[in-house]
Amino acid sequence: MGKQQESGIFKTDEEYWGYRFSILIDGKRVTRRRFTDDDGNKFSSKRAATKARETAIANARLDMKRKTEVTRKTVQDVYEEYCAKGRSDRAYGTIRKQDSLWENHISSRFGKRMVDDISVAEVTDYLAELYYHEGLSFMYVESFLKMFYLIFGQAYSRNYLSVDTYNKLCVNKDTKIRMPKIKTEDDTDIVAYTQEELQKMDQYFSGSAGETAYLLGRYCGLRINECYGLKWDHVDLKAGTILIDRQMQYQDGLIKLVPPKTRNAKRTIYMSGVLKNYLQKLNQQWKEDEVQFAALWEQNRRQIEDMDGKKILSTELVNCLPNGKIQTVNSMKYHAKEIKTKLNIQFKYHNLRHTYGTMMAEMNTPAHLLCDQMGHGNIHVTQKYYIAISKSGIETLRKNLNQL
């Protein structure tokens, strides 16, 4: 039994603290009795319990006020209002992805429902259905979770959800909607190529039209859009660095250079000796091609819109053919088919990024430096490369075990 202290604050027999209150708000009695915070942590001091009680009373008053003002809306109403007023700062790709999730999946299931009638269990069951029964990837299902957080957040900000309902859906650790338990086979999304596979692909790409893009992925870990959006004036051959501050993207069928994926994706990358030597030779060849193939360049090069809205020529990009024709993010599709057929390797350009990260981690690159080089917004993403099990990592482990 708790030991009475002062009004509303008490100490439990386990030497923790709790609070209680019973107050009238607009003629309605609201009663609370709590031993833990919203995350389930026990109050270890009187001060913590007192502060939590004050906050709970304030929230109760706010919630009661909101309940008298809350306007009921359907999920579709909330999403359409968000599209019209709440996402003007979102990237083009983000908008396309959100609309795809909404139109192809969420709208038919939840669109006509009142947003304040949807329970945590319904959303959790829906995510489990997508992952376990429809076979969607774990990362793809995560995008659905983010959409629900977005919709409920919009509803709360526009007074279509009460404080308690919103907290239950999106805030409280013990109740909020969450992802299904990950399958064993999906435990890591990092796919790194072996040294043997890299040697085969080195030979395949050598001298091909895709060699430059391949080497940028292999030795810099660039995302494919960053690779094809790279301009020559962002390559410092003297310092051995590459500035990444834009990416190539298709928008309404047009090729454009747009800001990078995230704020952290803007970065300066240091080149390896192999890549630096290659780009020095390529740059010299580019200057010679400009003279030798001047007529072809004039005929084949095209204007594309840069990040600032100005027009630039395709020949200003590092990934440009000798005859002046542009290469795009679709240029790797042919090579992926050829590598599968000729080398029996499942080639994905993004796996070069995984390989770069894994190899740098295996060589004990400090995590904060690798995080910066890869443009991650969260170091926890980078740390996945340090725990991913690659073939070379297993071989090192066995070698160390044999030396015990």
Side-chain angles (χ1 to χ4, degrees):
M1 185 174 178
K3 302 172 185 177
Q4 185 68 36
Q5 296 292 324
E6 62 182 57
S7 180
I9 304 298
F10 57 88
K11 198 171 187 180
T12 68
D13 294 335
E14 292 81 18
E15 299 299 314
Y16 288 102
W17 293 81
Y19 71 80
R20 67 169 71 87
F21 64 82
S22 182
I23 58 176
L24 284 173
I25 304 176
D26 294 335
K28 295 183 179 180
R29 183 160 294 279
V30 178
T31 302
R32 298 280 190 278
R33 181 183 174 87
R34 296 285 186 272
F35 301 90
T36 61
D37 62 19
D38 289 340
D39 292 329
N41 302 312
K42 294 181 178 180
F43 300 118
S44 58
S45 68
K46 178 181 177 181
R47 181 181 179 184
T50 302
K51 186 176 180 180
R53 182 177 184 272
E54 293 170 354
T55 301
I57 291 174
N59 284 340
R61 295 186 188 280
L62 176 62
D63 195 25
M64 187 62 70
K65 180 181 178 182
R66 287 175 64 92
K67 282 181 179 177
T68 63
E69 300 174 351
V70 163
T71 305
R72 301 198 74 201
K73 294 280 188 177
T74 66
V75 176
Q76 182 168 334
D77 290 334
V78 175
Y79 186 71
E80 288 178 350
E81 191 170 358
Y82 160 70
C83 293
K85 302 177 181 179
R87 66 175 186 182
S88 58
D89 61 336
R90 298 296 193 272
Y92 177 84
T94 300
I95 292 174
R96 289 286 301 273
K97 185 175 183 179
Q98 289 174 349
D99 286 344
S100 175
L101 291 174
W102 173 257
E103 293 165 6
N104 297 321
H105 299 278
I106 298 174
S107 62
S108 60
R109 183 73 163 259
F110 295 94
K112 295 180 180 180
R113 296 282 306 281
M114 304 305 293
V115 70
D116 57 346
D117 278 345
I118 297 174
S119 69
V120 172
E122 284 182 273
V123 179
T124 301
D125 290 345
Y126 177 61
L127 297 178
E129 179 185 321
L130 294 173
Y131 183 50
Y132 293 127
H133 301 296
E134 294 192 19
L136 302 184
S137 73
F138 189 81
M139 290 185 67
Y140 189 45
V141 175
E142 276 188 316
S143 60
F144 284 83
L145 177 66
K146 293 175 182 177
M147 277 287 286
F148 281 108
Y149 277 133
L150 182 150
I151 289 169
F152 292 135
Q154 286 292 312
Y156 176 66
S157 70
R158 299 179 188 281
N159 210 30
Y160 308 146
L161 282 179
S162 68
V163 175
D164 281 348
T165 302
Y166 175 70
N167 285 344
K168 188 180 295 183
L169 288 164
C170 301
V171 179
N172 294 349
K173 185 178 69 173
D174 295 331
T175 65
K176 68 180 181 179
I177 55 177
R178 63 188 73 244
M179 285 292 290
K181 187 176 180 181
I182 192 168
K183 302 173 190 174
T184 304
E185 60 267 30
D186 292 341
D187 233 354
T188 176
D189 58 347
I190 295 175
V191 179
Y193 295 119
T194 64
Q195 286 294 337
E196 181 183 0
E197 289 172 329
L198 288 173
Q199 289 173 3
K200 290 180 179 179
M201 289 190 290
D202 286 346
Q203 294 176 2
Y204 167 83
F205 279 105
S206 180
S208 73
E211 183 176 17
T212 302
Y214 168 73
L215 292 177
L216 286 168
R218 185 175 178 342
Y219 290 109
C220 290
L222 296 190
R223 300 176 178 93
I224 190 167
N225 300 69
E226 295 171 342
C227 168
Y228 284 100
L230 181 62
K231 300 164 63 178
W232 271 116
D233 62 10
H234 282 44
V235 178
D236 189 333
L237 293 171
K238 186 176 180 180
T241 60
I242 294 173
L243 173 63
I244 301 297
D245 69 346
R246 63 199 66 203
Q247 61 175 338
M248 179 182 287
Q249 198 174 82
Y250 278 95
Q251 293 188 1
D252 301 322
L254 299 176
I255 299 172
K256 297 183 179 181
L257 299 185
V258 299
K261 183 179 179 182
T262 63
R263 179 172 58 86
N264 296 86
K266 183 177 178 180
R267 62 203 189 276
T268 298
I269 294 176
Y270 292 86
M271 289 185 267
S272 68
V274 172
L275 182 62
K276 182 179 178 180
N277 290 336
Y278 172 83
L279 290 179
Q280 284 175 334
K281 294 177 182 177
L282 183 67
N283 184 257
Q284 182 60 40
Q285 186 63 52
W286 175 70
K287 293 175 181 177
E288 294 174 4
D289 290 342
E290 184 179 13
V291 176
Q292 183 177 354
F293 302 118
L296 275 176
W297 275 31
E298 187 66 30
Q299 176 178 290
N300 293 329
R301 62 187 178 186
R302 56 190 295 186
Q303 286 190 333
I304 58 175
E305 186 177 306
D306 202 354
M307 197 166 63
D308 56 5
K310 296 179 180 179
K311 301 292 184 180
I312 66 168
L313 296 172
S314 58
T315 46
E316 295 179 43
L317 300 175
V318 173
N319 281 284
C320 182
L321 295 175
N323 62 8
K325 288 187 177 181
I326 192 173
Q327 292 200 79
T328 72
V329 293
N330 293 322
S331 300
M332 274 290 164
K333 291 182 178 179
Y334 167 79
H335 297 292
K337 293 178 182 177
E338 287 291 291
I339 291 171
K340 176 63 177 175
T341 302
K342 296 179 179 179
L343 306 181
N344 196 29
I345 297 173
Q346 194 69 40
F347 179 79
K348 290 184 179 180
Y349 190 85
H350 200 72
N351 290 346
L352 293 175
R353 178 172 169 81
H354 290 172
T355 304
Y356 169 83
T358 302
M359 292 176 68
M360 293 295 283
E362 287 174 350
M363 291 187 287
N364 296 316
T365 304
H368 68 284
L369 295 179
L370 183 54
C371 180
D372 176 71
Q373 289 295 280
M374 298 197 73
H376 288 151
N378 190 326
I379 198 167
H380 294 299
V381 178
T382 311
Q383 287 170 343
K384 290 182 180 180
Y385 291 95
Y386 291 83
I387 60 176
I389 301 175
S390 64
K391 183 176 179 181
S392 59
I394 293 293
E395 291 172 350
T396 301
L397 175 62
R398 286 174 175 162
K399 180 180 178 181
N400 292 343
L401 287 171
N402 290 332
Q403 293 177 353
L404 283 176

